[in-house]
Amino acid sequence: MNKAQYNGKLFDIHTLPREKYELVYEQSLRNKWTCPMCGGVVRFHLAIEHAPHFYHVSNVCIKEERKQANIIFIHPTEPFQAKEKKQMTVCGIPLDTEQYEAVQHVEGPLLVLAGAGSGKTRTLTTRAAAMITEHHIKATNMMIVTFTTKAAKELVDRLQSYNLDNIPTVGTFHSLFYRMLQHADPFRWRHERLIRDWQKERMIKEIGRELGIDERDFPYDEAMQRISYWKNTLTSLADIAIENEWDERVVQLYKQYEAKKQQLELFDFDDMLYACYDMLRTDERRLRQYHERFHYFLIDEFQDINSVQYETMKLLASHTHHICAVGDDDQTIYAFRGSDSSFIHQFQQDFPHTKIVKLTENYRSPHPIVSLANSIISKSRKRIPKQMNAQTDSMHCPTLFFPYDEEEEATMIACDIEERLKQGVKPSDIAILCRTNASARAVFERLAQLRLPVTTDGESFYNRRIVRYLLSFFQLALDPNDEQAMTDVATVLFLKQTVINDLKAISILQDCSLVEALAKLDSIPPFQQQKLRTIVPLFAKVKEMKPLEAIDFIEKEMGFGDFLKKRGNEGNAIEKGSDDVRDVKVVARKFKTIPAFLSHVERTKAYASTTCDDGIQLMTIHRSKGLEFPIVYIIGVVDGLLPHDYALEAYRNGDVAPLEEERRLLYVAITRAKERLFISVPSMRRLKKANASRLLSSQTKAKSLV
């Protein structure tokens, strides 16, 4: 039904502005809307595959046909043709023609370009088993390398299922290279000297304090990532391009961190890679020992390899060139960690006479999804040409839907999921993929509100640095003696953390609140004293404002805007502080009072800390790589998010590489879907008009008719 009553007044869906749909949905959850005919409570249905409508909660007094929503089905560009596949069996494992070709090539370099869902693991493990059983190669002469402990375990389990007498040496780059170092010098590389990531962070922060870098005002996680990037790409200190103050700080941290490690004779995970490379490069006797032991090498997920890993594998395989690399240049999405699809091209140069086998049969997704994936990735400028072929067809095409904004997007997805769960779909069969952790905020909150089971590995949006600082102004407006909030606000006002003790002392001695004590500080420069005297009375005004109004006020009148300009995005091109503020504004406009908004924040944070292990999978596209799900939703497929703003800015400056990686990222997201795929193209994002992603082909671009 299209009409319902609110507070005794009749409304028609077709006359309501689209931006009001979210409000109507929220009100209907609180039983505020009723049927004009029977007076019964009605809910507002706002999902994907049916047009918005009201429906009765318990009884039905009128039947009305559901209309299709404003969606677009992306039909395949070519009809599905069942391809007759010749099946061969090796070690009892059925293989298609291309897989068989890869398995049978044993001597010399081999590059297997394994498209998404093409049976990469089956091919790699069957090849290893065939080398042992059919070609009588000793398992002890073989090394299989991958990237994660989970992937290594899967390879071992698969090999053990073949009932081999022995299995090859299998491990991650880190574990295998570390074992080589331990074998060379067990005392130097004993386990007790390993710095864990949390210890590394603590050590770098200690160095930062010595350099006068306030950890509350500096993105150490970004600095650590940059240091790892330099090391893994074999970038020497002399070759680091220092473009700004942040780069200079990170280089200082890098130098002193390396010096401190050397002084204390410690090492971290990056050292496992670099030190092994350096050892094999400089110690011919040691390299010769490994040449005598290992003759055949298999590299899994080759597209994710970085410089130090690649150069080390080149050294290990330099005597025989019996090296097999399995990967897909279309799935290179870890440039920030040093991965580069160019190594796939370089492999053919470094190992002459490389045989190339392309695995192009997709056993995961049906024809409509594979067709869309092909359409997206075919526009990539630098790739080895290949076309994926689906083994199955489906009546369900990838579906574009057009929510008004991120809030309505979340509601439509959550309502669609509710319907599927009622039909018996398991929560863990559903994945919601996002470009960044922050962009999942609205979806998570709606799932939490509906008490739907959700699994996420990201921390709460409201624990993000800039968001926490902004909310601290709200908390101090309500409680002028909130010490934690004052600590955050002091950072925003560019006060040293030592000032907190002064504020506590003033508060006690002069019997005033911590906020009032700000105006009484005399240990700071006169210009700061004057600024604080101006700001302190404004906290009382904030208390009476609506949340959205208060955010604008805090930005413009209380110094938060100045802080954002100076410290809001230092060192982080992906997630800027100003973007976080806009995200807060989107949710803040739903609340009339600051206490109501803060209560919502606390409820959301509490739900985030109790997420289940077998729920709806809410994750970034990067985290989804290597996984597959029957039902996939990709959110926010608009310019500025996918592709990301930083990639568009790089493109405008003549650098195509980031935009090409965003294209591969969308390709990876699409190819996670086994049955159903939904792509969201919101009309608004962060309170501004949004345009459909340029990565969508011309056939898929469409505008909402609502």
Side-chain angles (χ1 to χ4, degrees), residues 73-308:
F73 298 114
I74 308 173
H75 295 281
T77 55
E78 297 178 355
F80 174 70
Q81 293 182 341
K83 192 173 180 181
E84 213 173 293
K85 295 296 297 178
K86 184 179 180 182
Q87 293 283 340
M88 282 72 70
T89 301
V90 177
C91 298
I93 305 299
L95 304 170
D96 64 33
T97 305
E98 291 79 16
Q99 292 171 340
Y100 181 80
E101 185 180 5
V103 166
Q104 290 302 310
H105 184 85
V106 175
E107 303 294 317
L110 171 66
L111 180 60
V112 180
L113 298 174
S118 63
K120 167 184 67 68
T121 303
R122 169 184 293 232
T123 303
L124 191 152
T125 53
T126 304
R127 183 177 186 271
M131 290 169 69
I132 296 170
T133 59
E134 296 185 1
H135 299 276
H136 308 293
I137 295 170
K138 293 181 180 179
T140 53
N141 294 146
M142 297 167 56
M143 176 189 290
I144 303 178
V145 192
T146 188
F147 284 83
T148 67
T149 303
K150 179 181 177 182
K153 183 180 184 304
E154 182 182 355
L155 291 171
V156 170
D157 290 344
R158 191 79 67 92
L159 288 167
Q160 288 176 338
S161 70
Y162 296 150
N163 297 317
L164 304 172
D165 292 333
N166 294 293
I167 64 171
T169 298
V170 181
T172 65
F173 281 99
H174 282 91
S175 66
L176 292 177
F177 290 7
Y178 180 45
R179 279 155 63 181
M180 292 182 193
L181 292 171
Q182 283 188 310
H183 184 262
D185 189 345
F187 182 77
R188 167 70 181 87
W189 297 99
R190 67 182 188 272
H191 191 70
E192 294 79 9
R193 293 186 175 185
L194 171 63
I195 302 173
R196 307 287 179 180
D197 285 340
W198 64 270
Q199 294 170 313
K200 176 179 179 179
E201 181 178 7
R202 186 176 65 184
M203 184 181 294
I204 289 180
K205 284 182 177 179
E206 288 175 356
I207 294 170
R209 282 193 289 273
E210 294 171 3
L211 295 172
I213 301 174
D214 189 342
E215 70 178 81
R216 300 182 59 82
D217 191 26
F218 184 80
Y220 276 95
D221 54 342
E222 294 297 322
M224 290 169 61
Q225 182 176 299
R226 184 71 64 88
I227 290 170
S228 290
Y229 175 85
W230 287 332
K231 199 147 195 173
N232 289 322
T233 55
L234 300 175
T235 304
S236 67
L237 281 167
D239 292 332
I240 295 174
I242 300 178
E243 299 178 357
N244 50 46
E245 181 185 351
W246 189 80
D247 287 338
E248 189 174 341
R249 284 179 172 182
V250 179
V251 168
Q252 284 181 304
L253 290 171
Y254 186 19
K255 289 179 179 177
Q256 296 208 22
Y257 172 62
E258 291 296 313
K260 192 165 187 176
K261 276 192 305 177
Q262 188 172 3
Q263 177 188 353
L264 299 175
E265 297 184 327
L266 302 174
F267 63 94
D268 61 23
F269 286 99
D270 292 329
D271 293 324
M272 293 179 182
L273 303 182
Y274 181 81
C276 184
Y277 161 70
D278 194 50
M279 176 184 72
L280 297 178
R281 179 177 62 90
T282 58
D283 190 337
E284 292 185 10
R285 182 183 64 83
R286 188 70 57 183
L287 179 60
R288 191 162 53 250
Q289 287 178 349
Y290 287 105
H291 282 173
E292 292 170 357
R293 165 75 187 277
F294 295 107
H295 303 161
Y296 296 86
F297 303 87
L298 293 85
I299 306 174
D300 186 25
E301 299 286 6
F302 185 66
Q303 75 280 346
D304 295 336
I305 203 165
N306 60 37
S307 297
V308 67

Side-chain angles (χ1 to χ4, degrees), residues 402-404 636-643 645 648 652 680-686 688-696 700-704:
F402 304 91
Y404 176 72
V637 187
V638 295
D639 277 354
L641 186 55
L642 186 61
D645 274 327
L648 296 177
R652 286 189 286 268
S680 172
V681 184
S683 303
M684 301 284 290
R685 178 172 171 265
R686 289 175 173 157
K688 293 183 179 181
K689 188 179 184 307
N691 296 314
S693 172
R694 66 190 64 197
L695 300 176
L696 296 171
T700 63
K701 283 190 176 179
K703 294 182 179 179
S704 172

Side-chain angles (χ1 to χ4, degrees), residues 431-455:
I432 305 171
L433 307 184
C434 50
R435 175 62 182 85
T436 64
N437 281 315
S439 62
R441 192 269 315 158
V443 172
F444 179 82
E445 291 183 11
R446 181 62 74 204
L447 296 175
Q449 183 186 30
L450 297 176
R451 310 302 295 178
L452 295 176
V454 58
T455 301

Side-chain angles (χ1 to χ4, degrees), residues 71-77 368-369 371-376 379 397-402 637 663 666 670 677 679-681 691-704:
I71 57 180
I72 289 180
F73 298 114
I74 308 173
H75 295 281
T77 55
I369 293 175
S371 177
L372 174 60
N374 282 334
S375 174
I376 295 294
K379 295 175 177 59
C397 292
T399 304
L400 288 179
F401 65 103
F402 304 91
V637 187
R663 187 185 308 281
L666 179 57
I670 290 170
L677 174 65
I679 300 175
S680 172
V681 184
N691 296 314
S693 172
R694 66 190 64 197
L695 300 176
L696 296 171
S697 66
S698 57
Q699 303 99 296
T700 63
K701 283 190 176 179
K703 294 182 179 179
S704 172

